Amino acid sequence: MKNTIDGKLLLASASPRRKELLTQMGVSFEVRISNQEERCESTIPQEMVKELALQKAENVAREYWKKEAGEKGAFPVRILGADTIVVQNGAILGKPKNRTDAVRMIRDLQGSSHFVYTGVALLCYDAAGQKTVQTHVEETRVFVHPMTGDEILEYVNSGECDDKAGAYGIQGSFGKYIHRIEGDYYNVVGLPLSAVYQMLKRNGI
């Protein structure tokens, strides 16, 4: 696999985990973060993540057009957006507001299963600036072992739960509580590598 694509690749995400995963894939990219707020109209998890991923990519695309579209070598360009949510029994578990909220989430997740959905949107602008759009939604089911109250508190107090959907990171110390998964492990981390690679492969890798 080449380590560059035909033109720039911009990652429309502030997530260090997505940055690490895209680096792991071996492609060159730049991180661009939009300060615009995303708003979701759908209430269906699979549609929500797709909608939010597309908004992230489009927000970065608008800023790119304003600031850099007139520069030499600005096109072709690919813009990759992603959004991940954790869903249990139809309820969406976002990032915990505080440690108390994190304890509540982990108590709900332990001894049970839940779903992780990641929406991916890839905007592809050719040399003439013409856009095509591809989207994808990945689903992974995660089964968590029963946990004691002390185990929950120990994990939450470690701080690893902070800023993570569902209040946990599968790639960290919470991994010892994961019984099994059905689907893509990297999707739970925050970016389904195989799906993203295939999308990029179809568009210039």
Side-chain angles (χ1 to χ4, degrees):
M1 184 184 77
K2 296 188 294 183
N3 64 358
T4 58
I5 63 172
D6 181 17
K8 293 181 181 179
L9 172 62
L10 308 182
L11 174 61
S13 175
S15 167
R17 293 168 292 282
R18 294 196 182 107
K19 181 179 178 181
E20 290 170 3
L21 290 173
L22 203 55
T23 299
Q24 180 178 327
M25 191 184 295
V27 298
S28 299
F29 65 95
E30 301 173 19
V31 174
R32 299 294 175 91
I33 303 170
S34 172
N35 293 321
Q36 300 180 53
E37 182 180 357
E38 295 88 30
R39 296 182 179 180
C40 186
E41 295 183 0
S42 178
T43 57
I44 301 171
Q46 295 92 324
E47 294 300 318
M48 289 176 64
V49 289
K50 184 166 63 176
E51 186 178 339
L52 292 171
L54 186 57
Q55 285 185 39
K56 290 179 180 180
E58 289 179 335
N59 287 342
V60 167
R62 280 193 291 271
E63 294 178 8
Y64 185 80
W65 271 91
K66 290 179 182 178
K67 298 177 181 179
E68 302 179 52
E71 296 184 6
K72 183 178 179 181
F75 297 101
V77 63
R78 277 76 167 157
I79 303 174
L80 179 68
D83 190 79
T84 301
I85 60 174
V86 174
V87 179
Q88 185 184 44
N89 298 326
I92 296 174
L93 305 182
K95 298 176 181 179
K97 300 174 183 178
N98 48 46
R99 296 289 167 84
T100 300
D101 196 31
V103 168
R104 176 189 62 80
M105 289 187 186
I106 299 298
R107 282 177 176 164
D108 288 343
L109 295 177
Q110 63 85 31
S112 185
S113 69
H114 60 275
F115 291 92
V116 177
Y117 298 99
T118 297
V120 178
L122 182 66
L123 309 185
C124 302
Y125 292 88
D126 63 19
Q130 296 299 307
K131 180 178 73 172
T132 58
V133 179
Q134 292 187 36
T135 60
H136 174 79
V137 178
E138 192 77 22
E139 174 188 291
T140 303
R141 190 174 185 180
V142 182
F143 296 79
V144 182
H145 281 294
M147 298 170 64
T148 67
D150 287 343
E151 287 174 330
I152 294 172
L153 289 175
E154 180 183 18
Y155 178 72
V156 169
N157 288 333
S158 74
E160 189 179 286
C161 62
D162 298 348
D163 197 39
K164 291 181 175 66
Y168 78 92
I170 194 173
Q171 72 277 19
S173 62
F174 196 78
K176 62 179 175 285
Y177 301 117
I178 301 298
H179 175 48
R180 73 179 192 276
I181 68 170
E182 295 176 354
D184 186 343
Y185 164 82
Y186 294 106
N187 180 49
V188 186
V189 181
L191 193 70
L193 286 190
S194 178
V196 170
Y197 172 73
Q198 294 301 323
M199 293 173 76
L200 292 174
K201 186 178 178 180
R202 290 193 294 268
N203 291 278
I205 279 188

